[in-house]
Amino acid sequence: MTNIVKISVRNLVEYVYRSGSIESGFRTATTMIEGTRIHQLVQKGYQEQDEKEVFVEAEIPYEDFVVRVDGRCDGLLKDGDTVTIDEIKSTVHPLDDVQEDTHPVHWAQAIFYGYIYAGDHDLSKVTIQLTYVQVKTLEQKQFRRVMTYEEMESFVYKVMEEYALFLKGKIKHKIMRNKTSKTLEFPFETYREGQRKLAGSVYKTIVDKKTLFASASTGIGKTISTIFPAVKAIGERKLEKLFYLTAKTITRTAAEEAFRLLIDHGLDIHVLTITAKDKICFQEETICTSVNCPFADGFYDRINGAVIDILEQEKMINRMVIEQYARKHRVCPFEFQVELAYVVDAIICDYNYIFDPRVSLKRLMEEQKKKTAILVDEAHNLVDRAREMYSAEINKSNFLQLKREFKNSSLATAAKAINDHLLQVKKSEDYLRKDLDKELVELCETFIIEAEAELVKMEHELLLDTYFATKTFVKIAELYNDQFVTYVEVQKSEVRMKLFCLDPSEQILKMGKGFRARVFFSATLTPAGYYKDLLGGQSDDYVISIPSPFARENTEVIIQPLSTRYRDREKTMEPMVHFFKDVVDKMDGNFLIFFPSYQYMRNAYEQFTDHYPSVATMIQDVGMSEGEREDFLAEFNSERTEKLVGFAVLGGIFSEGVDLKGDRLQGVIVVGVGMPQIGFERDMMKDYFQSVGKNGFHYAYVYPGMNKVLQAGGRLIRSDSDTGVIALIDDRFLQRKYQALLPYEWQHYTIGV
Ligand code: SF4
């Protein structure tokens, strides 16, 4: 069977023609609005018979495969028998710096379009034209070449020859990958209870091209139950690629282990783990320019060789492997990962590579997305993470400072305009707005163009930071709808304007669109309706809930109805610490106690250690490093002879994502209902949800809070025969609205010890 490979003309020529260095960490690509504006400006000058945005595609056979290429040609200019292919490019550089041979890749793209068009219309020659537009001055400069069909064909095949070096390895790998995933068997003797149901649902979701919301208790083995069916779907030709998205290092490791297990069972697959830039950067200071970083210098000259090499040698491409090959080929480890993300079969990474419009993998073509599934682990975390991704802010003081530093320049004028505008906003006292400040967005767009023109000439930290913040602001403004609000904070002379995303559902839906399937899963996706709502669920999505596989009688659940409300804390502190002691005395083994804040935790810790100095204790500290965190967890081991009681905060590093299996943890005590602190943003969320017919208080406070409680309780991982204890301290746990949120496994509680 002939292998058909699809790729856009742009991606193909960029792969072959890229060269040079990573420069200054900022891309000079103009904003979408700006790019469209420039294209439209040039296209406005076209004659009546000319065409714009012409879709072209062709199948190009090469040895034993066929490459299907497509693209959109900016302009098709017709003058009698002469046809000109026009490719429009915007640039922040002065036009004098742009010469005919400055960008071979632009020629390559236009020649491909010319070749396809000439082939389709039986033309013996066409004119290839590059039109450059300076984004600031809007001046234009054009270069033309007349090329015969034969010349274009020979050019196209030279490009194909280069691409084939990469493609042959990829095709060979794909054959093996499909074969081994088809024959792959579940890597355990039997499925645990609930595991088959989850795996089956994931597979069906992929086959049916749907979205699944799965709530599956801790202990089921969620990681393998989602990865295995997705890999099987690759073998059945339903999928080409899968993303395993997770917010935490520990769950990332679990996903790597699951893939490794499948590889040990015969699977041939390329799995990449993406590590954040600040963690994987080789340099002391992350300044991504050819002058400051040898791994940025000449990056594009060496990257293709590095990609081919790593894919030939490795299957599990984790941080260590990336670092090794990045040093070998002297390429930036972070950008190396990004390049690999487009060509490997499975990617384990943070949510933002798919959901954040600022960092998402832009080169993932629609065609590829159709054969890609996204598996979102611990999906309850995505709600707040997404809110952050879709919010943006700017500060007046930065623009004022830039105005002063760049005196008498057009950049100063642009910065001054924003500074003045924010000053007006301050005077108006119109601090909470439903509508987007479009005038400000336009000023920001002008500022971006001016900033880019300066940044190509010089390094300037404040300008670069302000440029990024302004770009994000404009990007988020493009998404702005009635699920957003704009608010202004004034503090002395500072004015901060924030575009705040109240409800991320539409954005999550939009960013996940186009993928073959989406699986959102977590141990605590309850209440299902709330998460489905906020994660962009639709009425025909699949929803499943898989209860704990373990007998609920093995876990004793106690509710202690003491008030943990702020005003009562002092009064209830004493009985609370005695209650801790009563609970931890119930059985041998280690305990974790979770609190809603550090302060509350420290006070309770002091009281507890005063009363019971002989009990071994540990306490979480603010901003613990990964090593300190591991040391803390290592103390919770089953070999301990004396009981250990750990004090930690709800919603923190120890209350989610850590698995203290077996005898490492005997009991969990949760203080309070986890409610987020009452504040301005939460209150705006409450009002918004109320206004759209939901229970605003529940959506903004109760559900996110109870999720933290359920997550903390989930750290107690029992096996079939183990017993343990979960104690919940707060009288609100006895109210109906909170009771309704307790999982089935916790509903056989007793009151008090
Ligand atoms: S190694 Fe660090 S400084 Fe160098 S290009 Fe990569 S991220 Fe930037």
Side-chain angles (χ1 to χ4, degrees):
M1 198 176 78
T2 316
N3 276 292
I4 297 181
V5 181
K6 292 182 195 164
I7 186 165
S8 72
V9 168
R10 185 167 176 167
N11 285 353
L12 174 57
V13 297
E14 277 181 356
Y15 175 81
V16 173
Y17 276 90
R18 55 190 172 174
S19 64
S21 309
I22 298 169
E23 281 307 342
S24 72
F26 93 98
R27 297 205 169 81
T28 54
T30 40
T31 62
M32 222 162 75
I33 296 173
E34 194 56 33
T36 315
R37 187 171 75 94
I38 282 170
H39 272 65
Q40 284 169 354
L41 181 91
V42 177
Q43 287 163 343
K44 235 189 231 161
Y46 288 175
Q47 303 298 308
E48 208 179 310
Q49 71 277 13
D50 299 338
E51 292 174 51
K52 55 188 180 191
E53 305 297 329
V54 183
F55 179 75
V56 290
E57 62 179 336
E59 288 193 350
I60 305 173
Y62 190 90
E63 295 185 1
D64 54 352
F65 50 84
V66 170
V67 178
R68 187 179 293 161
V69 289
D70 63 19
R72 211 165 277 280
C73 154
D74 295 330
L76 201 65
L77 318 181
K78 294 173 184 166
D79 184 7
D81 286 345
T82 311
V83 170
T84 300
I85 302 291
D86 191 22
E87 186 58 28
I88 306 165
K89 299 289 176 195
S90 53
T91 176
V92 290
H93 296 275
L95 283 184
D96 283 349
D97 291 358
V98 183
Q99 299 306 323
E100 179 165 355
D101 290 328
T102 310
H103 299 293
V105 64
H106 296 163
W107 282 113
Q109 194 179 348
I111 293 170
F112 254 84
Y113 294 150
Y115 168 69
I116 300 171
Y117 188 82
D120 286 351
H121 294 82
D122 225 3
L123 302 175
S124 57
K125 62 178 181 196
V126 292
T127 302
I128 307 294
Q129 173 172 293
L130 298 184
T131 301
Y132 287 96
V133 183
Q134 213 292 336
V135 288
K136 219 173 111 181
T137 61
L138 299 181
E139 276 175 297
Q140 296 185 19
K141 186 173 189 175
Q142 284 167 334
F143 300 104
R144 280 186 205 96
R145 283 180 195 169
V146 177
M147 290 184 80
T148 64
Y149 182 76
E150 288 71 30
E151 282 169 336
M152 291 188 286
E153 187 172 53
S154 123
F155 178 89
V156 161
Y157 274 87
K158 250 189 23 231
V159 173
M160 293 291 291
E161 206 176 293
E162 185 76 25
Y163 186 53
L165 292 177
F166 161 74
L167 206 52
K168 280 181 194 166
K170 190 173 153 81
I171 290 172
K172 199 168 130 212
H173 164 73
K174 190 172 153 182
I175 293 167
M176 278 312 288
R177 181 200 69 185
N178 290 355
K179 203 167 131 195
T180 54
S181 54
K182 199 170 168 65
T183 53
L184 184 75
E185 297 206 354
F186 192 63
F188 298 104
E189 269 192 11
T190 52
Y191 281 93
R192 269 186 225 160
E193 211 183 313
Q195 207 167 30
R196 190 187 291 277
K197 187 175 172 194
L198 178 58
S201 304
V202 172
Y203 188 76
K204 184 170 163 46
T205 304
I206 294 169
V207 171
D208 296 352
K209 303 181 181 172
K210 303 286 278 188
T211 299
L212 170 68
F213 291 90
S215 185
S217 288
T218 323
I220 278 184
K222 288 191 295 293
T223 317
I224 194 74
S225 314
T226 47
I227 289 175
F228 177 71
V231 166
K232 291 302 288 178
I234 291 179
E236 296 303 326
R237 309 281 172 98
K238 308 283 183 222
L239 279 188
E240 277 293 321
K241 204 177 192 73
L242 67 103
F243 281 87
Y244 191 96
L245 306 178
T246 148
K248 297 204 168 75
T249 324
I250 191 108
T251 35
R252 219 165 286 176
T253 312
E256 285 177 352
E257 279 165 10
F259 276 112
R260 195 174 295 283
L261 188 67
L262 297 180
I263 290 170
D264 290 346
H265 280 72
L267 178 65
D268 192 345
I269 194 167
H270 286 135
V271 183
L272 166 75
T273 307
I274 301 186
T275 308
K277 192 177 194 170
D278 56 346
K279 283 199 182 141
I280 205 167
C281 172
F282 286 153
Q283 299 290 93
E284 285 268 297
E285 256 192 295
T286 307
I287 307 173
C288 310
T289 59
S290 54
V291 180
N292 292 292
C293 174
F295 303 96
D297 185 25
F299 174 86
Y300 292 107
D301 301 332
R302 296 183 298 276
I303 187 62
N304 287 354
V307 168
I308 291 174
D309 188 18
I310 204 168
L311 292 179
E312 270 173 6
Q313 312 291 334
E314 307 291 339
K315 290 194 173 82
M316 284 297 298
I317 308 175
N318 58 17
R319 178 176 177 172
M320 223 174 64
V321 176
I322 283 283
E323 287 177 347
Q324 182 195 336
Y325 282 77
R327 289 199 190 278
K328 179 177 169 191
H329 292 271
R330 202 161 47 83
V331 290
C332 163
F334 178 73
E335 292 298 334
F336 186 21
Q337 300 176 118
V338 175
E339 291 298 328
L340 283 166
Y342 293 101
V343 292
V344 298
D345 311 303
I347 299 114
I348 303 166
C349 62
D350 187 85
Y351 302 147
N352 58 4
Y353 295 99
I354 294 294
F355 290 107
D356 191 335
R358 290 161 281 190
V359 287
S360 61
L361 299 164
K362 306 272 181 319
R363 277 188 279 138
L364 260 193
M365 291 186 350
E366 289 308 312
E367 201 55 44
Q368 272 179 299
K369 283 189 183 174
K370 278 188 208 155
K371 292 185 180 163
T372 302
I374 49 177
L375 309 176
V376 187
D377 191 8
E378 306 266 318
H380 61 276
N381 284 316
L382 182 58
V383 176
D384 276 342
R385 279 291 307 281
R387 255 192 208 111
E388 283 167 30
M389 289 177 203
Y390 306 124
S391 297
E393 61 185 54
I394 51 172
N395 296 314
K396 179 183 157 303
S397 59
N398 292 347
F399 297 99
L400 181 64
Q401 182 65 21
L402 289 172
K403 180 195 110 177
R404 288 179 181 148
E405 284 192 34
F406 287 83
K407 239 188 262 162
N408 302 326
S409 69
S410 46
L411 173 65
T413 313
K416 179 180 182 300
I418 297 176
N419 181 63
D420 292 351
H421 187 90
L422 290 174
L423 210 57
Q424 281 305 318
V425 171
K426 181 183 172 184
K427 280 190 193 140
S428 73
E429 293 189 9
D430 183 12
Y431 294 166
L432 187 61
R433 302 139 170 243
K434 200 68 210 130
D435 294 329
L436 178 67
D437 187 339
K438 290 193 182 133
E439 200 186 323
L440 177 63
V441 176
E442 275 175 28
L443 297 177
C444 287
E445 285 178 351
T446 309
F447 172 82
I448 289 170
I449 295 170
E450 297 295 345
E452 283 182 351
E454 289 300 326
L455 285 166
V456 289
K457 294 187 280 186
M458 65 187 296
E459 279 178 26
H460 192 288
E461 209 178 320
L462 177 67
L463 179 59
L464 191 62
D465 290 349
T466 313
Y467 164 77
F468 278 131
T470 315
K471 250 189 119 161
T472 302
F473 194 83
V474 170
K475 180 107 230 156
I476 299 304
E478 285 168 19
L479 312 174
Y480 201 91
N481 60 18
D482 55 12
Q483 296 182 325
F484 285 73
V485 73
T486 302
Y487 75 85
V488 178
E489 267 182 354
V490 175
Q491 232 182 5
K492 293 188 182 155
S493 63
E494 182 62 294
V495 183
R496 182 170 78 106
M497 184 181 273
K498 181 165 180 176
L499 308 179
F500 179 56
C501 178
L502 297 158
D503 174 356
S505 57
E506 264 189 42
Q507 308 307 327
I508 293 177
L509 181 68
K510 217 189 286 171
M511 295 302 282
K513 250 204 178 117
F515 289 99
R516 176 166 181 127
R518 292 144 294 267
V519 176
F520 296 93
F521 61 104
S522 158
T524 57
L525 225 46
T526 42
Y530 165 77
Y531 281 104
K532 209 177 141 200
D533 248 8
L534 290 197
L535 293 171
Q538 303 292 289
S539 57
D540 59 346
D541 291 344
Y542 296 157
V543 180
I544 55 161
S545 173
I546 299 171
S548 164
F550 312 126
R552 70 173 187 172
E553 291 69 32
N554 289 352
T555 305
E556 184 181 352
V557 183
I558 306 162
I559 292 180
Q560 180 70 347
L562 286 171
S563 170
T564 68
R565 292 168 191 83
Y566 198 76
R567 59 174 188 270
D568 298 325
R569 285 181 186 177
E570 225 181 291
K571 200 169 65 196
T572 55
M573 181 62 84
E574 182 100 4
M576 187 173 75
V577 292
H578 294 312
F579 173 74
F580 292 163
K581 182 68 165 59
D582 292 343
V583 174
V584 300
D585 278 349
K586 275 178 143 317
M587 51 183 74
D588 290 337
N590 305 323
F591 283 73
L592 269 172
I593 310 178
F594 293 102
F595 296 83
S597 74
Y598 278 97
Q599 192 53 48
Y600 197 6
M601 171 185 74
R602 286 191 202 106
N603 293 347
Y605 177 79
E606 259 174 44
Q607 292 264 346
F608 186 82
T609 47
D610 275 357
H611 282 289
Y612 306 108
S614 60
V615 180
T617 52
M618 289 191 76
I619 181 162
Q620 182 179 349
D621 210 348
V622 190
M624 284 169 108
S625 68
E626 243 168 73
E628 287 167 334
R629 195 183 80 157
E630 271 161 30
D631 291 347
F632 185 100
L633 290 173
E635 291 297 323
F636 290 81
N637 57 58
S638 41
E639 279 89 53
R640 286 189 75 91
T641 47
E642 52 166 5
K643 181 190 300 291
L644 176 66
V645 180
F647 287 66
V649 289
L650 270 180
I653 46 173
F654 299 120
S655 72
E656 294 196 19
V658 291
D659 285 353
L660 293 165
K661 290 197 177 102
D663 289 337
R664 293 182 65 189
L665 193 66
Q666 213 59 43
V668 167
I669 302 174
V670 182
V671 178
V673 289
M675 200 108 79
Q677 235 184 354
I678 297 200
F680 182 54
E681 289 191 349
R682 280 279 150 192
D683 276 348
M684 281 194 295
M685 279 153 55
K686 183 187 82 178
D687 295 344
Y688 163 78
F689 286 118
Q690 198 66 37
S691 74
V692 293
K694 314 282 182 202
N695 184 322
F697 185 64
H698 284 191
Y699 266 54
Y701 289 102
V702 176
Y703 297 154
M706 278 302 282
N707 193 277
K708 289 189 203 149
V709 173
L710 303 188
Q711 275 293 326
R715 296 317 96 214
L716 186 71
I717 301 166
R718 319 282 56 209
S719 66
D720 292 340
S721 54
D722 286 340
T723 54
V725 57
I726 291 176
L728 307 172
I729 305 179
D730 201 298
D731 54 276
R732 283 168 287 189
F733 285 118
L734 295 176
Q735 290 176 12
R736 202 178 319 160
K737 72 176 168 214
Y738 291 94
Q739 291 253 312
L741 298 169
L742 296 182
Y744 168 79
E745 306 88 82
W746 295 10
Q747 282 174 7
H748 63 299
Y749 60 85
T750 51
I751 299 176
V753 204

